[in-house]
Amino acid sequence: MRLYQMADAVRYEMMNTDELRETFLLEGLFQPGEIELAYVDLDRTVIGSAVPTKGALKLETQPELRADYFLERRELGVLNVGGAGTVTVDGKTFDLDKLDCLYVGRGSKEVSFTSKDTGNPANFYLLSYPAHAEYPTAMVKFADLKGLELGSFETCNKRTIYKAIYKEGIKSCQLVMGFTLLASGSNWNTMPAHTHMRRSEVYFYFDVDPAHRVFHLMGPADATSHLVIADKEVVVSPGWSIHAGVGTKNYGFCWGMGGENQAYDDMDALTIAELR
């Protein structure tokens, strides 16, 4: 398990490109036949991936968690962005096609991942936060999600938001999770931008064409920087940082949050004119 320690807004302004990438960007996830995990000290977030190929991959506890099993004091969100696969939780199986989402509650002792076709393996994105209460494990299929359309072609940000784990959907302790798909011809994901000091946010970019990139904006509104993001890379956004991006082609991204509350609309809005 890799360890990431977040910088504050003061240190951020003195960081060069390499330092920004080393601190806020997670690269190298989604290795075939492996579970990859990273522990972020901000809100005690664990971010990871599972790409089962030849056999099942078991989610094991890690020394950094000081726990008998991974979800002893945690909850977990799983989003499949690859081929069809199965997640087994304490003997119960859940079949996840692409863009199906699973919530695994605190106290679940055994979690494993398999692919239906090893030639087209599942790509499971994992996001976990500490939990002080237990909620039942539950899955939602992409076909059953009600999308919220926002933006327009005029502003290059026509997109559909799908909420999966949130107050009116799958119940959780503190995890909020969903994803956004941009329409063909649209590039901006979250604009105008916002911050929310009550929660940190994690952006996982997927379906980014290998020849293309996403320019992710971060930092305080009056001192922004950017990270150049490739497919299946993750950006961690502290509460003081905006989180918005523009791609050289349309793409998808999964947003996940943990912290003070679960109110999706709890954000401090900024105007485009305020950005510098």
Side-chain angles (χ1 to χ4, degrees):
M1 180 182 281
R2 291 175 276 173
L3 174 64
Y4 286 79
Q5 295 178 298
M6 288 293 102
D8 60 22
V10 176
R11 181 185 165 210
Y12 154 82
E13 294 196 6
M14 298 181 285
M15 300 173 78
N16 60 31
T17 297
D18 288 340
E19 291 169 332
L20 288 172
R21 294 180 69 88
E22 290 171 0
T23 302
F24 299 100
L25 178 65
L26 277 66
E27 304 174 276
L29 298 174
F30 295 91
Q31 299 298 319
E34 301 289 342
I35 290 180
E36 298 285 338
L37 296 170
Y39 186 97
V40 182
D41 64 353
L42 183 66
D43 287 324
R44 309 300 173 190
T45 313
V46 174
I47 301 164
S49 61
V51 185
T53 51
K54 295 181 179 179
L57 295 176
K58 184 178 179 181
L59 183 62
E60 304 278 5
T61 189
Q62 302 292 316
E64 294 83 353
L65 301 182
R66 303 296 194 270
D68 291 335
Y69 52 96
F70 189 91
L71 294 174
E72 182 179 5
R73 299 183 301 272
R74 289 185 159 270
E75 59 187 353
L76 172 69
V78 181
L79 176 69
N80 186 11
V81 296
T86 297
V87 182
T88 302
V89 181
D90 289 340
K92 184 176 181 180
T93 60
F94 299 87
D95 294 327
L96 275 70
D97 295 315
K98 186 174 182 179
L99 300 183
D100 293 345
C101 186
L102 176 70
Y103 171 80
V104 186
R106 168 181 160 166
S108 301
K109 292 185 176 181
E110 294 186 0
V111 181
S112 62
F113 307 91
T114 57
S115 294
K116 296 289 184 68
D117 178 3
T118 57
N120 180 30
N123 281 226
F124 295 111
Y125 170 63
L126 314 177
L127 183 62
S128 173
Y129 287 96
H132 63 264
E134 294 182 7
Y135 288 86
T137 296
M139 182 182 68
V140 61
K141 304 291 286 185
F142 176 49
D144 296 327
L145 291 173
K146 295 180 180 179
L148 172 64
E149 293 192 3
L150 294 177
S152 68
F153 286 117
E154 182 181 13
T155 51
C156 303
N157 67 345
K158 187 172 180 58
R159 60 200 191 275
T160 306
I161 296 175
Y162 297 93
K163 303 175 187 178
I165 304 171
Y166 71 116
K167 291 174 67 174
E168 286 76 41
I170 296 177
K171 304 301 180 185
S172 69
C173 182
Q174 69 162 315
L175 172 64
V176 178
M177 187 173 175
F179 56 91
T180 299
L181 303 180
L182 276 72
S184 179
S186 284
N187 309 84
W188 283 100
N189 56 49
T190 306
M191 188 58 67
H194 63 265
T195 60
H196 32 70
M197 284 299 296
R198 293 151 299 281
R199 294 175 296 179
S200 58
E201 187 156 7
V202 179
Y203 271 19
F204 160 55
Y205 288 97
F206 62 91
D207 285 351
V208 179
D209 188 298
H212 289 259
R213 293 294 185 269
V214 176
F215 290 75
H216 179 91
L217 301 182
M218 64 168 298
D222 61 353
T224 61
S225 297
H226 72 270
L227 299 169
V228 181
I229 310 296
D231 188 40
K232 294 187 177 68
E233 294 184 342
V234 178
V235 181
V236 180
S237 298
W240 48 265
S241 176
I242 66 168
H243 29 281
V246 59
T248 54
K249 188 181 179 182
N250 64 311
Y251 51 92
F253 72 101
C254 175
W255 40 266
M257 293 171 275
E260 183 69 22
N261 63 45
Q262 293 181 304
Y264 177 82
D265 295 327
D266 181 8
M267 58 187 71
D268 302 311
L270 298 162
T271 66
I272 295 175
E274 291 179 85
L275 302 178
R276 293 177 58 186

